[in-house]
Amino acid sequence: MDIGAHKIKIVEGRYIKTGIEITNFFSIKTPSGALEDGTIMDKDLLYYALREGFKSKKIKTKNVFLTINSSKIITRELIIPKVKYKYINNIIKYQIKYSLPINIDDYILEFKIIREFFVDNMDKLRLLIIAIPKAIVEAYYQLITSLDLNPIVLDYQPNSISKLLGHNNIVNDIFPLRQFTIASVDIGYDSTKISIIKNGKILLTRTVEMAGKFIDEKVLSLGCPKEDLEKFKKNIININYQYDGENIEEKILNIIKSSLLFIVEKIETIFRYYLTRDKNNKINIIILSGGISNISGLDSLFANIFDIPTITISTVNNVKFTGPIVEYANAIGSIIRTTEV
């Protein structure tokens, strides 16, 4: 279950010999006012929306793997001496206590090992630290249990997409994933999540606090009826075209394109940071996901700007799924379990 600001995406699936099979999927519009920046504002609204969705789709599965995102979730990189796995948490808690202006008791800490390396005559670990406020975790736990479901895992959207890409070898039937460094760009409704991933490991993750909502607000300010907005975006022939006409359609297309270019500028800053921090860093391919990535020609727009092959994810070789994976990527990825924390 991927709970987003605009939609809740739900998939029902199981492991099979060839990977993962999704047997059922659907989405629910997130009720207005129910969620704000990943924080549950009205549990009753979410409860009723989910209860009706599960009932109408006749979902009988009880175990829930949930993935969320919020600007309140803190991610940091940390370098520590190499120690036994069981001691890492204690070292993290000690270092975070003195490096972040938070009360560590209010957060649940998780970590992923990015890589091991040797420097200054010492083996070291580079870690990605994920700190989730306990209040957020508890609110989702209460929501899921109130539905008479079993909350098994609470995941973080960038981690979900990294697991999906790490679990597969080929995307869109042609592009290999192994040994390539991938920039995953998940353009959601409230925010855009950027993750640099290699062989299923997150090397960097950042969030841009603008995405589909930012574009919608710009378009609506021109007087476009709200009920026509999604239909208009779906009918775009190619966002790469030059739109400079004076009619309302041309003006709307120009606003959509200029808004996307503004978001791309923010993404470029993150790419530049990653590429310049180490001369060996590179990005081999950009993979787009999220609802906005469905806009026709967006992959070409990214490829032209960054001079990096760019695709909108449509298939992965180890997942049997008949729906639009571009929208359900995080939900599917949350099902995948790894040996890492």
Side-chain angles (χ1 to χ4, degrees), residues 128-291:
L128 175 67
I129 312 301
I130 304 170
I132 305 179
K134 285 183 180 178
I136 288 180
V137 176
E138 290 167 358
Y140 281 106
Y141 179 86
Q142 290 170 9
L143 172 67
I144 300 304
T145 54
S146 70
L147 290 161
D148 196 27
L149 300 171
N150 305 321
I152 305 298
V153 170
L154 178 64
D155 211 342
Y156 173 52
Q157 287 174 358
N159 189 50
S160 297
I161 195 74
S162 74
K163 290 187 298 180
L164 179 66
L165 297 176
H167 182 73
N168 291 273
N169 304 313
I170 300 171
V171 62
N172 292 10
D173 297 324
I174 191 170
F175 295 93
L177 294 173
R178 295 296 177 204
Q179 304 308 317
F180 276 10
T181 302
I182 301 160
S184 166
V185 180
D186 177 4
I187 310 174
Y189 187 68
D190 266 355
S191 63
T192 299
K193 281 76 69 179
I194 300 99
S195 301
I196 309 297
I197 300 164
K198 186 171 184 180
N199 294 331
K201 289 184 178 291
I202 300 176
L203 306 180
L204 179 81
T205 182
R206 294 289 187 273
T207 299
V208 173
E209 297 300 327
M210 58 181 63
K213 184 180 179 181
F214 171 74
I215 298 169
D216 288 356
E217 288 174 346
K218 293 287 186 182
V219 174
L220 292 172
S221 69
L222 279 181
C224 175
K226 193 171 184 179
E227 59 270 18
D228 295 340
L229 189 54
E230 291 306 313
K231 183 180 176 181
F232 194 93
K233 285 187 285 189
K234 285 179 181 178
N235 289 335
I236 293 173
I237 296 172
N238 192 326
I239 198 63
N240 279 287
Y241 292 169
Q242 187 71 28
Y243 300 106
D244 49 17
E246 290 300 315
N247 63 63
I248 188 64
E249 286 191 5
E250 288 279 314
K251 287 181 178 179
I252 289 173
L253 288 166
N254 184 52
I255 284 289
I256 292 173
K257 184 174 182 178
S258 61
S259 300
L260 282 166
L261 289 173
F262 189 75
I263 294 171
V264 168
E265 281 184 25
K266 303 294 183 183
I267 295 169
E268 194 273 337
T269 302
I270 295 166
F271 284 4
R272 193 182 329 121
Y273 167 75
Y274 170 73
L275 293 169
T276 56
R277 60 191 280 190
D278 189 313
K279 64 180 182 180
N280 294 317
N281 283 354
K282 56 186 176 181
I283 297 172
N284 300 109
I285 186 171
I286 300 170
I287 296 181
L288 305 179
S289 62

Side-chain angles (χ1 to χ4, degrees), residues 28-48:
I28 302 168
K29 190 175 184 335
T30 304
S32 178
L35 203 70
E36 185 177 309
D37 189 23
T39 299
I40 296 175
M41 307 303 292
D42 192 325
K43 191 184 86 171
D44 290 338
L45 273 177
L46 277 179
Y47 168 83
Y48 288 118

Side-chain angles (χ1 to χ4, degrees), residues 73-78 85 88-89 92-93 96 104 107-113 127-133 137 152-156 159 337 340-341:
I73 298 174
I74 300 170
T75 61
R76 288 290 186 277
E77 288 183 33
L78 190 65
Y85 196 85
I88 293 178
N89 251 323
I92 289 171
K93 287 179 181 178
I96 290 292
I104 199 167
Y107 286 79
I108 292 174
L109 297 177
E110 298 289 353
F111 68 89
K112 292 181 75 72
I113 298 172
L127 307 174
L128 175 67
I129 312 301
I130 304 170
I132 305 179
V137 176
I152 305 298
V153 170
L154 178 64
D155 211 342
Y156 173 52
N159 189 50
R337 306 317 308 150
E340 287 190 13
V341 174

